[in-house]
Amino acid sequence: MEMNIEKIWLRYFIFISVGLIILSIVIFSYIQYLDTKYQFVEDDRSLTIDRIRQNLDNQEQRIHLVGEAIRDIYLDSEYDKDGNNEQFMIILKTFPNIKNIFILNGDQIIDSHPNQSFKNSSVKDIFQTYSENNYFNNLEMLEFPITPELTAVIDIPFEYLNIEQTIHQKNFKLIVYAQDKKIIPFQLERNGNEIYTENIEFTDEQLDDVIYIKKDTTLFAFVDHRPIRLEYVLWYPSLAQSFLYFEIIAIIVGIFLSAIFPILFIRAERLSNFLQHKTIQLQDTNNDMKMSNDILKQTQKLLLKSKEKFQNFYNVSPYATFILDNDKKIESYNEKFQYMFQYQNDELVGHPFSSIVSDNGQKEAKKYFDALENSGKIIDQENWLKRKDGTEFPVLFSSVRIQDSSDKQNGYLCIILDQSEAYQIKELEQKYNALLQEQLATLKETEKQKDEFASMVSHELKTPLFPIKFHAKMIRDPDFGELNEQQKESLNQIYFNAERLETIIDDLLDSQRIELHTMKFKLSEIHLFQIMGEIYHQNEIYMQDKNILFTNVTTDDLIFKSDPGRLNQVITNLIKNSVDFVPDIGGKIEMGAYKESNSVLFYVKDNGIGISKEEQEQLFHKFYQTDTSVTRKHGGTGLGLSICKGIVDNLGGKIWIESTSNIGTTVFINIPITK
Amino acid sequence: MNVIVIEDNKSIRDMLCAYINAKNHNATCAENGKNGLELIKQKSFDVLLLDLAMPVYSGYDVINDMIKNQLMNKIKVVVLTASSISNNEEKNLLQKGVKQIWRKPIEPNELISGLESLNSV
């Protein structure tokens, strides 16, 4: 921005300076022109003066002759003063150019020729007349002493003294009037045209033999002490020169200024900008200071307020607040503190902090204060403090170093939170937790005992069955001795019932295991066709004397992972159930399995009496039995299907029934294929 | 065939021994593992019929001791147990040298045929 201003101003000042220079040149030229117009070349002047002088010398000679002649006339006794004297006439004839001859006695004209009218006039009168009639333009009056009292004045026309001078290529006519004792102004003619007579003031200066004196509007010159009337416009010769010097100086000054001005101006501009800027800065600083002052005042007010607030807070705080000095002696404390520690208003002032600390807590308190020294604050440190009556209670202790503005330490501000309640609650919590742990342990133990009991029971219950069954079979062996039919039958019954007992026990145990999620599964790879064949074979024996058409229609074969034993158990259970429901004659039971998408689908189908929808719901529940009269035939515990469901669920499969009354029932099992 | 039966239950022990003897084999009974082991060291048997669940000194202990004493090669061990044992336990026993694992209760004829076929191998 500044650069632009500089340029603009530079341009202005260059313009102005150039203008001044041009103006100066113009003025100079005009002056030169005037100078040349009116210049009076010294040489010319001196030349003029010489010529004037020469002419005047010639003139003097003539006057001398005339004067001598006039003197001779007067000294002649024959001179007749009154009337025309012939001798005067002779002179006038000899010198036709002489207009008048005056004989003066002092100022009085005693005689005049040819014009007698001037007799008895004073010279002043003549002069006046001459002035009025402009005679002086053409006449010169010369003086010549005749006798000591008398002077002759001779009027001679100016033609004799006309000097034409060519001055400086201009034609000037210098008209010089010579007048005895009179000073007559210059008149300058140029090319026949009268030029103004200028009032030019000259100082008294001697220029060769010429002295120029200005009197009013008339310029007089004295040449050889004889005054001559010069009408001439003198142009002081060195004026033009002086003016020339002046011009040169003006141009130089102009250039200098034009150069300097912009710079100065720009500097000034910059300076003023700078000053403005500084002024603004100063103002800003001033404002800032004012603002700071205001803020300071406000801050002080706030500080005061906050102090008040603090005081209030301190007094009514629900927390026990107190202040320690630098030596950790108690300076002051609030009401809550008094209440908490049971001390009166001033009792503790000056006492050390340790006096409210419990015996066991002294060490901790020291630690806290060390930490406080280092970090400047401690928060919620646990400790036990002591009341006036000696009772101790748990607290949370917080403290902060008080420092004033000069970082000088001014003690500590401390806050105490009574933790008695919290402590009690903690203790209770701990008690309950302990109790809980105990009970949990007891529970676990009980569980363990139950498990152990269960396995013990299973083991103990089943152990006797082994000998019972074994003996029952063993006796029937011919190597053990021969028996009759009744005895054999009796043993059969023993065996049969032992088996039944075993089944019941197994069911109960299985059911319990399923309930307690303690049933163990032995997973292995199963070949479908093989296992179905095995199950069929095992149950076939069972069917032999029952008039039931029992078939295994499994054709698919695949390998899948599951518990073969338990699968066998489930399917066998289903088959045994079907046996209960098929008609006595023409009963059919079909078992099969095939792959269906990602699972193996097992089924046991019979042509029994069917199961109603309502009963289907209940079937898989524990202890549910349909038509107790029917099942009592085979004596079931009602656990079978629930066990089946439990096993199938644990193998990741599903079991369900499709049944139609009096047509038949099919139980499906879906086992997902896993490898 | 000489069979040694280690079984802590008297009823079962007597029963087994009686039946094996009745079937024209020679059965010796031991009521605990320690005694049984002693008998094995002293006499030569073809088959050991071993119960697993026994107090103080179980069937497992017997097996481990037999391994220590390198007796597994001298006699064919059959485990007869009422306990349900896991696949891993079964594998473990078989790896240790047990020939067969039978479950109680077992049928008499199964018992005899099993022992005889084992011995004939």
Side-chain angles (χ1 to χ4, degrees), chain A residues 18-237:
Chain A
V18 166
L20 279 174
I21 292 167
I22 292 170
L23 197 64
S24 310
I25 292 169
V26 163
I27 293 167
F28 176 66
S29 310
Y30 183 62
I31 290 167
Q32 285 288 69
Y33 162 70
L34 291 178
D35 202 31
T36 52
K37 215 169 105 168
Y38 302 112
Q39 188 175 14
F40 183 40
V41 178
E42 202 162 295
D43 294 333
D44 290 347
R45 192 193 303 115
S46 58
L47 194 64
T48 312
I49 300 297
D50 286 338
R51 295 247 336 239
I52 293 168
R53 199 174 291 135
Q54 200 177 21
N55 278 332
L56 287 173
D57 284 345
N58 291 340
Q59 187 69 22
E60 270 200 40
Q61 267 181 329
R62 265 180 264 149
I63 298 299
H64 195 75
L65 285 171
V66 171
E68 295 279 342
I70 295 168
R71 192 192 281 148
D72 287 338
I73 292 167
Y74 262 87
L75 292 175
D76 193 11
S77 54
E78 289 179 25
Y79 176 58
D80 184 10
K81 288 186 193 117
D82 300 313
N84 282 332
N85 197 322
E86 273 183 26
Q87 272 140 329
F88 274 109
M89 290 302 143
I90 295 163
I91 295 169
L92 286 166
K93 273 187 194 165
T94 314
F95 296 98
N97 289 338
I98 295 171
K99 287 272 187 279
N100 292 302
I101 296 172
F102 302 103
I103 306 294
L104 300 175
N105 187 348
D107 274 339
Q108 283 292 107
I109 300 170
I110 55 170
D111 201 3
S112 79
H113 298 278
N115 199 343
Q116 289 283 323
S117 61
F118 287 113
K119 224 173 172 178
N120 297 317
S121 303
S122 75
V123 175
K124 280 187 188 156
D125 297 329
I126 294 169
F127 264 76
Q128 190 142 9
T129 313
Y130 274 23
S131 287
E132 284 164 9
N133 298 319
N134 274 326
Y135 280 175
F136 287 127
N137 291 337
N138 293 315
L139 285 175
E140 191 185 357
M141 300 175 88
L142 295 168
E143 286 184 0
F144 188 79
I146 305 168
T147 66
E149 304 111 16
L150 299 173
T151 315
V153 176
I154 306 156
D155 279 343
I156 298 175
F158 289 144
E159 293 94 279
Y160 289 108
L161 293 173
N162 285 348
I163 302 163
E164 283 191 30
Q165 285 290 320
T166 306
I167 300 165
H168 237 242
Q169 292 151 10
K170 304 282 181 187
N171 287 327
F172 288 95
K173 195 168 173 183
L174 182 66
I175 302 162
V176 177
Y177 301 87
Q179 177 70 36
D180 192 25
K181 288 184 185 158
K182 300 289 176 191
I183 302 168
I184 305 164
F186 270 117
Q187 185 183 22
L188 200 62
E189 275 185 44
R190 185 153 61 101
N191 296 332
N193 302 317
E194 191 188 317
I195 311 156
Y196 65 92
T197 49
E198 185 67 38
N199 290 336
I200 299 167
E201 237 181 283
F202 297 98
T203 57
D204 288 332
E205 187 178 53
Q206 197 151 358
L207 188 70
D208 292 338
D209 302 333
V210 181
I211 300 167
Y212 298 93
I213 299 168
K214 178 186 178 254
K215 189 173 176 185
D216 298 329
T217 58
T218 320
L219 198 67
F220 298 92
F222 290 89
V223 177
D224 289 343
H225 308 289
R226 290 177 62 224
I228 56 167
R229 208 171 91 196
L230 293 172
E231 288 188 21
Y232 184 66
V233 175
L234 264 181
W235 195 256
Y236 189 68

Side-chain angles (χ1 to χ4, degrees), chain A residues 519-545:
Chain A
M519 181 176 274
K520 296 199 176 78
F521 293 90
K522 287 194 220 166
L523 300 177
S524 61
E525 269 188 3
I526 304 170
H527 294 257
L528 182 63
F529 189 77
Q530 184 189 351
I531 197 174
M532 290 305 273
E534 281 170 10
I535 296 168
Y536 177 73
H537 189 68
Q538 283 167 15
N539 286 290
E540 202 187 8
I541 303 163
Y542 181 68
M543 302 289 189
Q544 273 171 359
D545 53 348

